[in-house]
Amino acid sequence: MATLIETYACIPSTERGRGILVSGDPKLNAFLYCNGRSVIIRYLDRPLEVEVYAEHAYQTTVARFSPNGEWIASADVSGTVRIWGTHNGFVLKNEFRVLSGRIDDLQWSADGMRIVASGDGKGKSFIRAFMWDSGSNVGEFDGHSRRVLSCAFKPTRPFRIVSCGEDFLVNFYEGPPFKFKQSHRDHSNFVNCVRFSPDGSKFITVSSDKRGLLYDGKTAELKGELSQEDAHKGSIYAVSWSPDSKQLVTASADKTAKVWTISDDFNGTLAKTLCPGTGAVDDMLVGCLWQNDHIVTVSLGGTIYLFTASKLDEEPMILCGHMKNVNSLVVLKTSPETILSSSYDGFIFKWIRGAGFTGKLERPDKNQIKCLVAVDQEIISSGFDNKVWRIPLTGDECGEANIIDIGSQPKDLSLAIRQHELAMIAIETGVVLLRGTDVLSTTDLGFTVTACSLAPDGSEAIVGGQDGKLHIYSVTGDSLKEEAVLEKHRGAVTVIRYSPDVSMFASGDANREAVVWDRETREIKVKNMLYNTARINSLAWSPDNSMVATGSLDTCVIVYEINKPASSRITIKGANLGGVYAVSFVDQNTVVSSGEDACIRLWKVTPQ
């Protein structure tokens, strides 16, 4: 059996020039955000506790708790809203197609009976309000000519709805059933976000014109604005009120969040400016949330900063992770609690078991990373640019990278662990041998190469082909001599790994099969490892050589015991939404997996 121990969550999906919604449930100290097709539930006081809802068919855009915290409404780019509960697993209550295009914002009414959603649509259908249980409309929403970026429900009676968007308008609707009441054009650029204060007495709109305007919550009369003396120097993307309605926080492209005190005459004076990043482009702030005594801000790079509202001079807690699919994992051998992960967008992150994110290892170019291997003193990576990077590693710091142009796109990368100066890179026509930064040889092998593995002492290499054959070579100096060809796979070989004691090796293919071989006799040791239903992307051995784990495009990790029939396997279903790209053993009974959903998960594996 397998039990989930920890999840290192992905960060919110962000987009330059657009705000994102982070919403919370004050009773649980939980907050929500979206990444890919997933809705991520996290807890302000328990950052390693994560739940992931992954039932949307399209990219999710926004999610919100109902007022009583029992239900969550989430929306996606297809205009669909799903309403689901989190008790005893995820339970779908309803699904409605609300708009014909992307939904950018939604909010529940204070009684939890109605939902308003806004976004993109056809004609003039940019907003819709409906009953949460039946989906029936509760009003007509005229008045906008372009995409509606934000909407809000007045939390007190009489109910009102306010909306704003790319037509620079702020529209006010009375109801239910809701009808257009009035429109304001006080902003001179996109109006990115609108929010009612918790007591319903006022609402604020923030815009790309760098202004925040305050209106009467009942009449929609413009009453005041945030101080222009202390104004943001960039577009304001998000705003959130304090629970007592006396303060609010704004997040801006100028890389700051500002805390404002709102007076009884509807004007805002600056209380504190928060500068959580280092000033890089990725430090633009695109989302914020004020929840109980926490202020949450989200940067363009997806980093989440948790401030204590009553102690704003203290340094924030930082939650970080991958935004894109995680395609490589390395467990550092002399420190088995340390995991390195790399993602498609070129980031390498460091994780400590029990602590989560502990640092980002910066590569100078941030090019896409395809392959990653590492020992304790060095990281070697390759991407799609025909180059191999050898990066010295000292503690948490990357040294100056040595870049080797090998002239062809790397398909796979292997390191001789005991002689780690020696590396092998698979290219389409053959393999390249590196010693340090020197190219020893480039060998054309006469077949299409798809995977490779170098023995720990560098004396042997196994190369897999598009034809499913495994070619075994002895390595002497800069030359390779073919010793054997093994045939068993019926699809392209995707991964090859030696066992830790080098007595065996395992291989996986694109036709879902894994095979364990005896290295000395070159006979099959474990067969019928056919329980994945799609391409095997990754393989890993347990430290004592007794188990092999496979990670597959079918979203599953399967753990096989070497001395038992393949049918007695341990299957972790849905280990990573969209497919498992990398799998490794952290210790004898702990497997780590990563994949398309940008999350990293640790599993406790207990053999039968």
Side-chain angles (χ1 to χ4, degrees):
M1 61 177 286
T3 310
L4 181 63
I5 306 171
E6 290 179 5
T7 299
Y8 305 145
C10 57
I11 52 178
S13 292
T14 61
E15 193 177 322
R16 191 161 182 178
R18 184 194 301 274
I20 67 163
L21 179 70
V22 188
S23 60
D25 177 3
K27 293 190 288 296
L28 293 176
N29 249 350
F31 67 104
L32 298 169
Y33 58 82
C34 296
N35 178 298
R37 292 190 290 127
S38 304
V39 176
I40 314 297
I41 307 172
R42 301 186 72 169
Y43 300 88
L44 293 165
D45 46 357
R46 309 188 299 278
L48 284 182
E49 196 170 317
V50 181
E51 294 177 78
V52 180
Y53 179 77
E55 302 298 319
H56 277 271
Y58 298 89
Q59 180 186 341
T60 53
T61 54
V62 56
R64 275 192 188 277
F65 284 100
S66 63
N68 62 10
E70 294 289 315
W71 301 96
I72 292 170
S74 56
D76 60 33
V77 295
S78 75
T80 299
V81 172
R82 290 174 70 92
I83 300 163
W84 43 280
T86 59
H87 301 294
N88 302 317
F90 296 125
V91 179
L92 181 66
K93 170 74 172 176
N94 276 313
E95 181 179 76
F96 303 116
R97 182 75 185 276
V98 176
L99 298 176
S100 59
R102 172 191 172 112
I103 294 175
D104 288 305
D105 199 2
L106 64 78
Q107 195 168 41
W108 295 76
S109 61
D111 59 5
M113 300 301 294
R114 302 167 185 84
I115 294 172
V116 61
S118 69
D120 214 353
K122 293 178 181 175
K124 294 186 177 181
S125 302
F126 301 110
I127 313 174
R128 188 174 159 205
F130 56 94
M131 301 301 294
W132 86 291
D133 52 354
S134 65
S136 56
N137 288 344
V138 288
E140 296 293 328
F141 293 88
D142 301 323
H144 281 289
S145 58
R146 294 183 67 183
R147 179 177 184 163
V148 176
L149 299 173
S150 187
C151 58
F153 238 118
K154 184 167 174 280
T156 54
R157 294 181 182 274
F159 286 148
R160 300 285 186 266
I161 287 174
V162 64
S163 61
C164 61
E166 292 185 352
D167 54 8
F168 307 176
L169 296 179
V170 176
N171 287 351
F172 196 66
Y173 303 88
E174 292 183 347
F178 292 96
K179 290 185 179 179
F180 175 82
K181 178 67 175 178
Q182 57 181 297
S183 183
H184 294 275
R185 196 186 174 98
D186 302 310
H187 287 288
S188 58
N189 208 325
F190 290 179
V191 191
N192 295 313
C193 190
V194 57
R195 295 290 176 255
F196 274 98
S197 59
D199 64 7
S201 65
K202 53 185 83 72
F203 66 87
I204 184 171
T205 58
V206 294
S207 165
S208 293
D209 65 8
K210 310 169 190 172
R211 298 171 69 204
L213 302 182
L214 288 140
Y215 298 81
D216 185 280
K218 188 173 181 181
T219 65
E221 181 185 352
L222 177 61
K223 291 278 197 171
E225 69 177 299
L226 303 181
S227 167
Q228 284 292 290
E229 275 183 40
D230 304 301
H232 282 289
K233 295 179 172 60
S235 299
I236 306 175
Y237 289 124
V239 61
S240 183
W241 288 87
S242 63
D244 63 4
S245 301
K246 294 179 179 177
Q247 289 185 296
L248 53 83
V249 60
T250 52
S252 168
D254 67 6
K255 309 180 184 73
T256 69
K258 290 180 183 284
V259 177
W260 306 86
T261 301
I262 307 303
S263 62
D264 292 338
D265 64 355
F266 286 74
N267 283 300
T269 54
L270 182 66
K272 183 76 175 177
T273 298
L274 308 174
C275 306
T278 60
V281 171
D282 277 352
D283 291 324
M284 291 182 183
L285 297 182
V286 294
C288 61
L289 170 67
W290 194 317
Q291 182 164 316
N292 299 331
D293 194 33
H294 298 277
I295 292 177
V296 182
T297 68
V298 181
S299 73
L300 178 63
T303 304
I304 300 167
Y305 300 93
L306 305 182
F307 292 89
T308 302
S310 57
K311 302 173 183 175
L312 288 176
D313 290 326
E314 292 185 358
E315 287 295 309
M317 178 190 284
I318 299 173
L319 302 181
C320 200
H322 291 285
M323 190 184 295
K324 304 291 184 183
N325 48 298
V326 182
N327 47 26
S328 299
L329 289 172
V330 178
V331 178
L332 296 181
K333 296 301 180 191
T334 59
S335 178
E337 306 296 294
T338 302
I339 300 162
L340 299 182
S341 60
S342 69
S343 55
Y344 181 76
D345 50 0
F347 290 105
I348 302 172
F349 286 154
K350 185 178 178 183
W351 312 88
I352 301 291
R353 184 172 169 183
F357 171 78
T358 57
K360 185 187 295 186
L361 302 175
E362 295 280 4
R363 264 187 25 158
D365 67 330
K366 295 216 182 112
N367 277 345
Q368 295 165 351
I369 296 175
K370 185 178 181 184
C371 307
L372 177 81
V373 294
V375 289
D376 288 294
Q377 302 85 23
E378 185 181 36
I379 295 171
I380 305 179
S381 66
S382 66
F384 296 86
D385 56 359
N386 299 354
K387 293 182 176 68
V388 173
W389 292 65
R390 300 196 76 138
I391 309 168
L393 189 58
T394 309
D396 293 336
E397 298 294 323
C398 285
E400 188 173 340
N402 293 302
I403 305 164
I404 307 105
D405 191 335
I406 60 169
S408 298
Q409 189 180 116
K411 297 257 187 175
D412 199 1
L413 190 57
S414 183
L415 195 61
I417 301 297
R418 295 177 200 154
Q419 309 240 355
H420 63 83
E421 284 285 294
L422 189 63
M424 175 177 276
I425 299 97
I427 58 177
E428 186 155 341
T429 56
V431 293
V432 178
L433 278 175
L434 289 182
R435 186 174 297 281
T437 57
D438 298 325
V439 177
L440 293 181
S441 62
T442 301
T443 308
D444 190 330
L445 297 177
F447 60 90
T448 302
V449 174
T450 53
C452 70
S453 188
L454 198 55
D457 62 2
S459 65
E460 183 181 82
I462 308 170
V463 180
Q466 184 72 37
D467 57 5
K469 295 176 182 177
L470 294 171
H471 299 255
I472 300 178
Y473 298 89
S474 58
V475 182
T476 308
D478 61 356
S479 62
L480 279 68
K481 181 185 175 186
E482 188 169 276
E483 302 288 347
V485 178
L486 308 181
E487 297 187 39
K488 175 67 170 77
H489 291 286
R490 292 167 292 181
V493 178
T494 54
V495 59
I496 308 163
R497 294 287 182 268
Y498 282 95
S499 61
D501 66 359
V502 206
S503 68
M504 298 170 281
F505 59 89
S507 51
D509 66 33
N511 198 38
R512 76 187 179 85
E513 184 174 15
V515 182
V516 173
W517 308 80
D518 185 287
R519 184 189 177 194
E520 188 174 341
T521 65
R522 293 167 183 158
E523 298 289 327
I524 295 172
K525 193 171 177 73
V526 184
K527 54 187 176 182
N528 298 324
M529 298 166 73
L530 279 160
Y531 290 93
N532 286 111
T533 59
R535 168 192 172 99
I536 292 174
N537 291 319
S538 183
L539 268 173
W541 285 88
S542 63
D544 71 349
N545 313 286
S546 67
M547 292 185 282
V548 169
T550 62
S552 169
L553 197 59
D554 65 6
T555 76
C556 297
V557 170
I558 299 181
V559 181
Y560 298 94
E561 292 183 72
I562 298 301
N563 296 320
K564 290 186 180 178
S567 57
S568 65
R569 69 209 177 275
I570 300 166
T571 301
I572 306 171
K573 292 184 177 178
N576 292 94
L577 173 72
V580 179
Y581 290 171
V583 64
S584 188
F585 276 85
V586 179
D587 57 35
Q588 185 53 41
N589 295 107
T590 309
V591 172
V592 58
S593 69
S594 67
E596 179 77 28
D597 60 5
C599 292
I600 298 167
R601 294 185 175 87
L602 270 66
W603 310 89
K604 184 177 178 59
V605 176
T606 309
Q608 302 294 331

